Amino acid sequence: APPLPPPARADTRLIPKLPLNFASLALAAADLRLNIATLRFNGLDLLDVQTHAMLADGRARLDPLTLTLPGGRVTLRAAADGAQPLPQMQLSLRGEALDSAVFLPFFGITPPFAGQGEIDLDLRGQGADTQAWAASSVGHIGFALTDGRMQQRLLATLLPRDSQRPATEIAIACFAARFDVVAGIAQVRALYADGSLGRINGQGQISLRDESLALRLNTDLRIAIPNTAGLRLRAPVPVTGMLAAPRFEGMGLLGHC
């Protein structure tokens, strides 16, 4: 018998590798307007669904699709161009007053935090699959959270090893982030958090080409440590690794102070 092929290397990226093939767009033409009062999807009710879809000359546009999801209302605009040598796609997503504890699980994401959020995303790029598209993307990504709560399991990755974990969730008064994306590199324009432990602001970049992180968090925190008056931490914290597995460099060393 021939030898077995080596096992496929696990893809640990958050962005899935899905093919983008828009050749079939050239087979039809359409102009569709749709209004649905209530659409039941996987047992959930989507309310006030409105969309306008256009298809012509190998190009498709969704402008817009608006609907009320569990946890908030969103507006999606999308465009696909199959008439070019490489498939081109543009995505724009706006969401306001989103309840993250309800909105994210709708997409199969278990959030480590809860609160009222906003999303502002606009990206365009080209490529044969979604990872290549992200690597070429241009645009911006922004989100914000107010009156939030962060779970202890996320906080445990940030604090020194000997510090005392809070008995309850951490309150987040506000969190805001804005990235400007050029050729698949998301550069921080704003990154700020203010909560019950203190404040954090940051700078750096995230590569959508390979999902690597090159960030620095400037911390101003008050951390409880057993048998002490506590620790005020004001230090830069480099963040490396990958989107799916970030590494907070240097935080563990503080446990020996």
Side-chain angles (χ1 to χ4, degrees):
L4 295 175
R9 182 179 179 181
D11 192 343
T12 59
R13 297 190 187 185
L14 291 181
I15 302 172
K17 188 172 185 177
L18 304 176
L20 297 178
N21 186 352
F22 302 140
S24 60
L25 296 180
L27 302 179
D31 191 324
L32 173 67
R33 294 182 184 272
L34 186 65
N35 294 275
I36 302 176
T38 303
L39 174 65
R40 178 152 292 178
F41 178 77
N42 287 342
L44 297 173
D45 288 342
L46 311 181
L47 306 177
D48 192 19
V49 181
Q50 302 178 31
T51 186
H52 182 201
M54 295 163 285
L55 175 61
D57 301 323
R59 298 176 176 88
R61 177 173 293 275
L62 193 65
D63 190 14
L65 168 65
T66 61
L67 70 161
T68 300
L69 296 167
R73 186 164 180 81
V74 299
T75 299
L76 172 68
R77 287 179 167 85
D81 189 345
Q84 304 300 321
L86 275 177
Q88 299 184 3
M89 182 171 64
Q90 181 174 0
L91 292 176
S92 175
L93 177 65
R94 289 278 299 176
E96 298 178 355
L98 302 176
D99 185 347
S100 62
V102 179
F103 177 76
L104 293 178
F106 177 79
F107 295 96
I109 302 173
T110 302
F113 53 82
Q116 294 294 314
E118 296 185 3
I119 298 175
D120 177 16
L121 178 147
D122 192 339
L123 293 174
R124 62 186 183 276
Q126 62 182 15
D129 56 60
T130 49
Q131 290 183 353
W133 175 83
S136 69
S137 60
V138 176
H140 67 264
I141 303 171
F143 46 90
L145 184 77
T146 58
D147 298 326
R149 303 175 305 280
M150 184 172 64
Q151 296 179 7
Q152 296 181 54
R153 64 183 176 87
L154 179 61
L155 187 66
T157 66
L158 305 177
L159 297 181
R161 288 192 298 268
D162 296 339
S163 62
Q164 182 178 0
R165 274 44 173 177
T168 60
E169 295 176 324
I170 305 305
I172 303 175
C174 68
F175 172 78
R178 161 83 182 213
F179 298 85
D180 288 346
V181 183
V182 177
I185 301 298
Q187 188 74 33
V188 173
R189 294 305 176 201
L191 182 57
Y192 178 80
D194 187 356
S196 56
L197 285 184
R199 298 179 179 87
I200 297 176
N201 64 73
Q203 59 248 109
Q205 65 184 29
I206 300 174
S207 172
L208 301 182
R209 302 172 184 175
D210 58 7
E211 299 193 6
S212 61
L213 304 176
L215 301 171
R216 187 179 76 166
L217 302 180
N218 301 308
T219 62
D220 186 358
L221 307 176
R222 293 189 179 276
I223 302 173
I225 297 180
N227 304 319
T228 73
L231 171 68
R232 184 171 186 182
L233 175 62
R234 303 181 70 178
V237 179
V239 183
T240 60
M242 307 287 289
L243 272 175
R247 293 196 302 268
F248 298 88
E249 307 287 350
M251 294 297 290
L253 297 177
L254 296 172
H256 300 290
C257 293

